[in-house]
Amino acid sequence: MLRCAAFCSAESFDLDQVTSSLRTNPAVSSVTTLSDVIHVRLERQAYTAPVVLAPETKGVTMSADAFVFQNGSLVCWNVPHAVEQDLLIMLRKTQLRSLPSIASETFEYVPSTFSGMQGDTIMVMSTCGLRYHSDLS
């Protein structure tokens, strides 16, 4: 199973400062900025799922993705815990109104042929925007 973690540490972030900080981070391979969200791709640190969970994941490596929302939230997909913590530390400098404590929630998800829930697990269709890289070539 793969991990999704969501954090809320502020009422809002200064997205211009966030973008500047991310562009100088060597672990970040791309930064896409929209009006109220920043998508961070951690391509240089691709992570392989420890267990093959669906037929289409055999031999597949997933990159890590993080989304920084202007409303003070960070959502990480397949990002190692240590990298999540580094992102939270970096985001402290960009907070406009900090919260007294960081709220967090973690979920498990798996790539699948459909999107939905099975018990407490999120099933994410592989064509829903998470990019896969095959090691089978």
Side-chain angles (χ1 to χ4, degrees), residues 3-41:
R3 184 170 179 269
C4 174
F7 306 91
C8 185
S9 63
E11 288 185 25
S12 63
F13 293 125
D14 179 329
L15 292 186
D16 290 334
Q17 282 187 329
V18 173
T19 300
S20 269
S21 295
L22 289 169
R23 291 194 192 281
T24 61
N25 186 324
V28 173
S29 68
S30 71
V31 177
T32 305
T33 305
L34 302 172
S35 64
D36 62 351
V37 65
I38 298 170
H39 173 227
V40 182
R41 172 79 28 118

Side-chain angles (χ1 to χ4, degrees), residues 81-126:
H81 181 70
V83 177
E84 292 170 353
Q85 296 308 303
D86 288 346
L87 288 170
L88 286 168
I89 290 167
M90 182 272 306
L91 288 172
R92 275 190 215 151
K93 300 171 189 163
T94 69
Q95 294 175 349
L96 299 179
R97 289 176 294 283
S98 299
L99 297 177
S101 62
I102 297 174
S104 66
E105 187 75 39
T106 58
F107 307 92
E108 292 179 331
Y109 74 98
V110 294
S112 179
T113 56
F114 69 95
S115 292
M117 296 289 295
Q118 282 191 340
D120 291 335
T121 303
I122 301 168
M123 310 300 285
V124 179
M125 184 181 239
S126 62

Side-chain angles (χ1 to χ4, degrees), residues 68-86:
V68 180
F69 294 89
Q70 187 173 17
N71 70 3
S73 300
L74 168 68
V75 180
C76 299
W77 293 84
N78 199 32
V79 176
H81 181 70
V83 177
E84 292 170 353
Q85 296 308 303
D86 288 346

